[in-house]
Amino acid sequence: MELSDKLVLALPKGRILEEVMPLVHAAGIHPEPAFDDPKSRALQFDTNVRNLSIIRVRAFDAATFAAFGAAHLAVVGNDVLQEFGYSDLYSPLDLEIGHCRLSLAMPEDEADEDPREWSHIRVATKYPNLTRRYYAERGVQAECIKLNGAMELAPQLGLSRRIVDLVSTGGTLKANKLKEVEVLTHITSRLVVHRPAFKTRPREVSYWIERFREAVKNGSAS
């Protein structure tokens, strides 16, 4: 896919969007009013920067848009980067937001098992590639059932005793009588770049990387 003349920044919907917008503003990017209008159904927005627009998409899709050249820059969690392993994505900057962890959890009354004794497990998860790779490195065969949400129902309904999901406070696990057993990886959100765009438009792309780097630095210091 050919890149358009206007740079495109892909931002994820949801909690991360709230966390990243202060950095976006600090970098000097201010989207048009419709971006903050809850009634707006628009997905692409102009900004105060003439040659830069923003698209607002699902977290997994932000990586895909950037990997295939539909966006030049994107904000993506390193959970997504590890799950898909897109070769055309370059991750130059940790934005130090979206802190959480990807963990395996089980019903509380079964959570005294030692993961070091496992040889084969069945897991419900949104991250089958990451999960299989993590356990394969430990000599464990992980049979993964792909779910896109409501992971906590899997043990309750007999789909899988174990789940691998994002954990922040652990409140959702506790509410569903699940216990965190093992942390697979710690997560933060990154600024990523479409590699071909970095090669063909290095000045523009480098400029925004540095603007975000300064925003992160100043934000961390405050």
Side-chain angles (χ1 to χ4, degrees):
M1 176 180 293
E2 292 185 0
L3 296 169
S4 64
D5 289 334
K6 181 176 284 192
L7 286 175
V8 176
L9 169 64
L11 298 180
K13 297 179 180 179
R15 178 176 64 91
I16 301 303
L17 183 64
E18 297 179 8
E19 293 190 42
V20 78
M21 286 314 295
L23 294 176
V24 172
H25 292 149
I29 302 170
H30 301 279
E32 63 179 297
F35 185 85
D36 296 314
D37 182 356
K39 295 181 180 179
S40 174
R41 295 182 178 273
L43 297 175
Q44 185 166 10
F45 305 89
D46 290 330
T47 72
N48 63 310
V49 182
R50 183 179 56 82
N51 70 329
L52 176 71
S53 66
I54 289 174
I55 60 172
R56 188 167 56 196
V57 295
R58 294 178 183 272
F60 274 45
D61 293 340
T64 303
F65 273 96
F68 288 91
H72 305 78
L73 305 112
V75 173
V76 179
N78 66 313
D79 54 326
V80 179
L81 297 177
Q82 291 179 63
E83 175 64 18
F84 289 109
Y86 287 127
S87 60
D88 272 342
L89 288 183
Y90 166 53
S91 175
L93 181 62
D94 187 342
L95 297 175
E96 300 179 17
I97 60 171
H99 291 271
C100 59
R101 55 196 181 274
L102 188 70
S103 296
L104 183 138
M106 297 177 59
E108 292 174 338
D109 57 358
E110 303 177 21
D112 57 348
E113 293 184 8
D114 186 348
R116 292 172 296 182
E117 298 178 354
W118 295 341
S119 60
H120 176 275
I121 56 174
R122 173 183 284 187
V123 182
T125 184
K126 192 177 181 179
Y127 302 89
N129 296 326
L130 197 163
T131 300
R132 277 193 290 264
R133 186 167 60 250
Y134 175 88
Y135 282 105
E137 291 173 354
R138 286 152 182 77
V140 180
Q141 181 182 358
E143 175 190 351
C144 294
I145 301 171
K146 176 72 182 293
L147 290 179
N148 291 317
M151 220 68 61
E152 295 80 12
L153 286 175
Q156 296 178 29
L157 300 180
L159 182 64
S160 171
R161 293 170 55 223
R162 304 175 180 91
I163 66 171
V164 167
D165 201 10
L166 296 180
V167 178
S168 181
T169 65
T172 302
L173 293 179
K174 186 174 182 180
N176 287 277
K177 296 182 171 55
L178 298 173
K179 184 177 180 180
E180 193 174 3
V181 174
E182 188 171 29
V183 177
L184 278 67
T185 186
H186 290 274
I187 309 297
T188 55
S189 292
R190 316 294 173 92
L191 181 70
V192 302
V193 176
H194 181 61
R195 287 186 186 275
F198 205 8
K199 293 179 180 178
T200 58
R201 304 174 70 167
R203 182 177 299 178
E204 293 171 278
V205 173
S206 295
Y207 172 80
W208 289 113
I209 293 173
E210 291 309 311
R211 290 302 297 266
F212 274 96
R213 194 185 306 278
E214 284 299 312
V216 172
K217 180 181 177 181
N218 294 335
S220 301
S222 61

mmCIF file of all heavy atoms in Angstrom, residues 88-112:
data_model
loop_
_atom_site.group_PDB
_atom_site.id
_atom_site.type_symbol
_atom_site.label_atom_id
_atom_site.label_comp_id
_atom_site.label_asym_id
_atom_site.label_seq_id
_atom_site.Cartn_x
_atom_site.Cartn_y
_atom_site.Cartn_z
ATOM 1 N N ASP A 88 7.668 -4.932 9.814
ATOM 2 C CA ASP A 88 7.694 -3.562 9.293
ATOM 3 C C ASP A 88 7.396 -2.510 10.356
ATOM 4 O O ASP A 88 7.166 -1.350 10.026
ATOM 5 C CB ASP A 88 6.722 -3.405 8.118
ATOM 6 C CG ASP A 88 7.381 -3.755 6.784
ATOM 7 O OD1 ASP A 88 8.623 -3.774 6.735
ATOM 8 O OD2 ASP A 88 6.656 -4.012 5.813
ATOM 9 N N LEU A 89 7.395 -2.906 11.612
ATOM 10 C CA LEU A 89 7.204 -1.940 12.686
ATOM 11 C C LEU A 89 8.512 -1.726 13.436
ATOM 12 O O LEU A 89 9.187 -2.678 13.821
ATOM 13 C CB LEU A 89 6.129 -2.410 13.674
ATOM 14 C CG LEU A 89 4.683 -2.362 13.196
ATOM 15 C CD1 LEU A 89 3.745 -2.802 14.319
ATOM 16 C CD2 LEU A 89 4.308 -0.972 12.705
ATOM 17 N N TYR A 90 8.848 -0.477 13.632
ATOM 18 C CA TYR A 90 10.027 -0.075 14.411
ATOM 19 C C TYR A 90 9.522 0.657 15.640
ATOM 20 O O TYR A 90 8.654 1.530 15.548
ATOM 21 C CB TYR A 90 10.920 0.827 13.561
ATOM 22 C CG TYR A 90 11.975 1.582 14.325
ATOM 23 C CD1 TYR A 90 12.869 0.929 15.170
ATOM 24 C CD2 TYR A 90 12.101 2.968 14.176
ATOM 25 C CE1 TYR A 90 13.841 1.632 15.851
ATOM 26 C CE2 TYR A 90 13.070 3.673 14.861
ATOM 27 C CZ TYR A 90 13.939 3.003 15.695
ATOM 28 O OH TYR A 90 14.891 3.709 16.378
ATOM 29 N N SER A 91 10.015 0.257 16.810
ATOM 30 C CA SER A 91 9.529 0.824 18.068
ATOM 31 C C SER A 91 10.632 1.637 18.746
ATOM 32 O O SER A 91 11.411 1.095 19.535
ATOM 33 C CB SER A 91 9.065 -0.309 18.990
ATOM 34 O OG SER A 91 8.702 0.173 20.255
ATOM 35 N N PRO A 92 10.714 2.937 18.441
ATOM 36 C CA PRO A 92 11.824 3.733 18.950
ATOM 37 C C PRO A 92 11.630 4.305 20.351
ATOM 38 O O PRO A 92 12.578 4.788 20.950
ATOM 39 C CB PRO A 92 11.910 4.875 17.934
ATOM 40 C CG PRO A 92 10.501 5.074 17.498
ATOM 41 C CD PRO A 92 9.881 3.707 17.493
ATOM 42 N N LEU A 93 10.369 4.256 20.866
ATOM 43 C CA LEU A 93 10.123 5.016 22.095
ATOM 44 C C LEU A 93 9.075 4.350 22.972
ATOM 45 O O LEU A 93 7.966 4.056 22.528
ATOM 46 C CB LEU A 93 9.656 6.431 21.728
ATOM 47 C CG LEU A 93 9.360 7.388 22.885
ATOM 48 C CD1 LEU A 93 10.622 7.637 23.723
ATOM 49 C CD2 LEU A 93 8.810 8.704 22.343
ATOM 50 N N ASP A 94 9.446 4.117 24.246
ATOM 51 C CA ASP A 94 8.495 3.685 25.268
ATOM 52 C C ASP A 94 7.809 4.940 25.816
ATOM 53 O O ASP A 94 8.474 5.839 26.334
ATOM 54 C CB ASP A 94 9.236 2.948 26.386
ATOM 55 C CG ASP A 94 8.303 2.321 27.413
ATOM 56 O OD1 ASP A 94 7.112 2.708 27.479
ATOM 57 O OD2 ASP A 94 8.767 1.446 28.161
ATOM 58 N N LEU A 95 6.498 5.007 25.677
ATOM 59 C CA LEU A 95 5.757 6.188 26.127
ATOM 60 C C LEU A 95 5.496 6.184 27.633
ATOM 61 O O LEU A 95 4.977 7.155 28.172
ATOM 62 C CB LEU A 95 4.427 6.283 25.369
ATOM 63 C CG LEU A 95 4.555 6.482 23.853
ATOM 64 C CD1 LEU A 95 3.174 6.428 23.202
ATOM 65 C CD2 LEU A 95 5.245 7.800 23.525
ATOM 66 N N GLU A 96 5.815 5.073 28.296
ATOM 67 C CA GLU A 96 5.688 4.961 29.754
ATOM 68 C C GLU A 96 4.249 5.175 30.221
ATOM 69 O O GLU A 96 4.001 5.748 31.289
ATOM 70 C CB GLU A 96 6.654 5.921 30.449
ATOM 71 C CG GLU A 96 8.114 5.648 30.106
ATOM 72 C CD GLU A 96 9.077 6.614 30.764
ATOM 73 O OE1 GLU A 96 8.682 7.298 31.725
ATOM 74 O OE2 GLU A 96 10.232 6.700 30.298
ATOM 75 N N ILE A 97 3.294 4.714 29.420
ATOM 76 C CA ILE A 97 1.888 4.727 29.796
ATOM 77 C C ILE A 97 1.325 3.327 29.570
ATOM 78 O O ILE A 97 1.985 2.459 29.003
ATOM 79 C CB ILE A 97 1.065 5.741 28.969
ATOM 80 C CG1 ILE A 97 1.140 5.384 27.464
ATOM 81 C CG2 ILE A 97 1.551 7.164 29.213
ATOM 82 C CD1 ILE A 97 0.191 6.194 26.605
ATOM 83 N N GLY A 98 0.075 3.128 30.035
ATOM 84 C CA GLY A 98 -0.575 1.837 29.822
ATOM 85 C C GLY A 98 0.058 0.709 30.607
ATOM 86 O O GLY A 98 0.032 -0.446 30.178
ATOM 87 N N HIS A 99 0.613 1.022 31.776
ATOM 88 C CA HIS A 99 1.294 -0.007 32.565
ATOM 89 C C HIS A 99 0.311 -1.097 33.019
ATOM 90 O O HIS A 99 -0.710 -0.806 33.637
ATOM 91 C CB HIS A 99 1.946 0.616 33.793
ATOM 92 C CG HIS A 99 3.114 1.494 33.476
ATOM 93 N ND1 HIS A 99 4.398 1.014 33.379
ATOM 94 C CD2 HIS A 99 3.186 2.830 33.222
ATOM 95 C CE1 HIS A 99 5.222 2.016 33.092
ATOM 96 N NE2 HIS A 99 4.509 3.115 32.984
ATOM 97 N N CYS A 100 0.631 -2.322 32.688
ATOM 98 C CA CYS A 100 -0.114 -3.480 33.176
ATOM 99 C C CYS A 100 0.762 -4.703 32.930
ATOM 100 O O CYS A 100 1.944 -4.565 32.612
ATOM 101 C CB CYS A 100 -1.478 -3.606 32.484
ATOM 102 S SG CYS A 100 -1.404 -3.781 30.686
ATOM 103 N N ARG A 101 0.200 -5.868 33.067
ATOM 104 C CA ARG A 101 0.978 -7.090 32.851
ATOM 105 C C ARG A 101 0.083 -8.140 32.201
ATOM 106 O O ARG A 101 -1.139 -8.106 32.334
ATOM 107 C CB ARG A 101 1.545 -7.615 34.174
ATOM 108 C CG ARG A 101 0.507 -7.836 35.252
ATOM 109 C CD ARG A 101 1.154 -7.964 36.630
ATOM 110 N NE ARG A 101 0.147 -8.191 37.678
ATOM 111 C CZ ARG A 101 -0.516 -7.211 38.304
ATOM 112 N NH1 ARG A 101 -0.284 -5.946 37.986
ATOM 113 N NH2 ARG A 101 -1.397 -7.496 39.246
ATOM 114 N N LEU A 102 0.719 -9.034 31.483
ATOM 115 C CA LEU A 102 0.012 -10.156 30.884
ATOM 116 C C LEU A 102 0.286 -11.363 31.766
ATOM 117 O O LEU A 102 1.435 -11.765 31.929
ATOM 118 C CB LEU A 102 0.504 -10.404 29.456
ATOM 119 C CG LEU A 102 -0.295 -11.434 28.656
ATOM 120 C CD1 LEU A 102 -1.680 -10.882 28.309
ATOM 121 C CD2 LEU A 102 0.442 -11.824 27.379
ATOM 122 N N SER A 103 -0.797 -11.917 32.328
ATOM 123 C CA SER A 103 -0.627 -12.953 33.342
ATOM 124 C C SER A 103 -1.519 -14.154 33.098
ATOM 125 O O SER A 103 -2.576 -14.045 32.463
ATOM 126 C CB SER A 103 -0.951 -12.386 34.738
ATOM 127 O OG SER A 103 -0.046 -11.376 35.101
ATOM 128 N N LEU A 104 -1.082 -15.278 33.616
ATOM 129 C CA LEU A 104 -1.915 -16.469 33.640
ATOM 130 C C LEU A 104 -2.649 -16.514 34.967
ATOM 131 O O LEU A 104 -2.057 -16.295 36.027
ATOM 132 C CB LEU A 104 -1.077 -17.728 33.455
ATOM 133 C CG LEU A 104 -1.883 -19.036 33.405
ATOM 134 C CD1 LEU A 104 -1.358 -19.959 32.309
ATOM 135 C CD2 LEU A 104 -1.846 -19.767 34.755
ATOM 136 N N ALA A 105 -3.950 -16.797 34.898
ATOM 137 C CA ALA A 105 -4.770 -16.873 36.103
ATOM 138 C C ALA A 105 -5.594 -18.156 36.079
ATOM 139 O O ALA A 105 -5.885 -18.714 35.020
ATOM 140 C CB ALA A 105 -5.689 -15.653 36.212
ATOM 141 N N MET A 106 -5.958 -18.599 37.288
ATOM 142 C CA MET A 106 -6.728 -19.829 37.463
ATOM 143 C C MET A 106 -7.757 -19.622 38.561
ATOM 144 O O MET A 106 -7.658 -18.656 39.330
ATOM 145 C CB MET A 106 -5.791 -20.977 37.863
ATOM 146 C CG MET A 106 -4.742 -21.346 36.850
ATOM 147 S SD MET A 106 -3.640 -22.650 37.490
ATOM 148 C CE MET A 106 -4.819 -23.972 37.818
ATOM 149 N N PRO A 107 -8.730 -20.517 38.677
ATOM 150 C CA PRO A 107 -9.651 -20.443 39.822
ATOM 151 C C PRO A 107 -8.888 -20.463 41.142
ATOM 152 O O PRO A 107 -7.889 -21.172 41.288
ATOM 153 C CB PRO A 107 -10.513 -21.706 39.654
ATOM 154 C CG PRO A 107 -10.497 -21.972 38.178
ATOM 155 C CD PRO A 107 -9.111 -21.584 37.731
ATOM 156 N N GLU A 108 -9.351 -19.674 42.087
ATOM 157 C CA GLU A 108 -8.646 -19.524 43.356
ATOM 158 C C GLU A 108 -8.406 -20.859 44.056
ATOM 159 O O GLU A 108 -7.356 -21.069 44.672
ATOM 160 C CB GLU A 108 -9.447 -18.599 44.278
ATOM 161 C CG GLU A 108 -9.508 -17.165 43.803
ATOM 162 C CD GLU A 108 -10.429 -16.314 44.652
ATOM 163 O OE1 GLU A 108 -11.323 -16.879 45.334
ATOM 164 O OE2 GLU A 108 -10.272 -15.084 44.626
ATOM 165 N N ASP A 109 -9.364 -21.780 43.979
ATOM 166 C CA ASP A 109 -9.223 -23.053 44.695
ATOM 167 C C ASP A 109 -8.303 -24.045 43.985
ATOM 168 O O ASP A 109 -8.076 -25.154 44.475
ATOM 169 C CB ASP A 109 -10.598 -23.689 44.932
ATOM 170 C CG ASP A 109 -11.379 -23.918 43.637
ATOM 171 O OD1 ASP A 109 -10.865 -23.557 42.564
ATOM 172 O OD2 ASP A 109 -12.508 -24.449 43.715
ATOM 173 N N GLU A 110 -7.758 -23.651 42.829
ATOM 174 C CA GLU A 110 -6.829 -24.523 42.104
ATOM 175 C C GLU A 110 -5.471 -23.859 41.905
ATOM 176 O O GLU A 110 -4.577 -24.441 41.277
ATOM 177 C CB GLU A 110 -7.406 -24.883 40.733
ATOM 178 C CG GLU A 110 -8.764 -25.559 40.770
ATOM 179 C CD GLU A 110 -9.301 -25.822 39.377
ATOM 180 O OE1 GLU A 110 -8.502 -25.864 38.420
ATOM 181 O OE2 GLU A 110 -10.530 -25.985 39.244
ATOM 182 N N ALA A 111 -5.305 -22.660 42.438
ATOM 183 C CA ALA A 111 -4.145 -21.831 42.088
ATOM 184 C C ALA A 111 -2.881 -22.176 42.861
ATOM 185 O O ALA A 111 -1.890 -21.446 42.771
ATOM 186 C CB ALA A 111 -4.490 -20.358 42.289
ATOM 187 N N ASP A 112 -2.890 -23.282 43.609
ATOM 188 C CA ASP A 112 -1.678 -23.656 44.335
ATOM 189 C C ASP A 112 -0.759 -24.539 43.495
ATOM 190 O O ASP A 112 0.274 -25.009 43.967
ATOM 191 C CB ASP A 112 -2.034 -24.369 45.643
ATOM 192 C CG ASP A 112 -2.889 -25.609 45.418
ATOM 193 O OD1 ASP A 112 -3.387 -25.796 44.291
ATOM 194 O OD2 ASP A 112 -3.065 -26.385 46.385
#
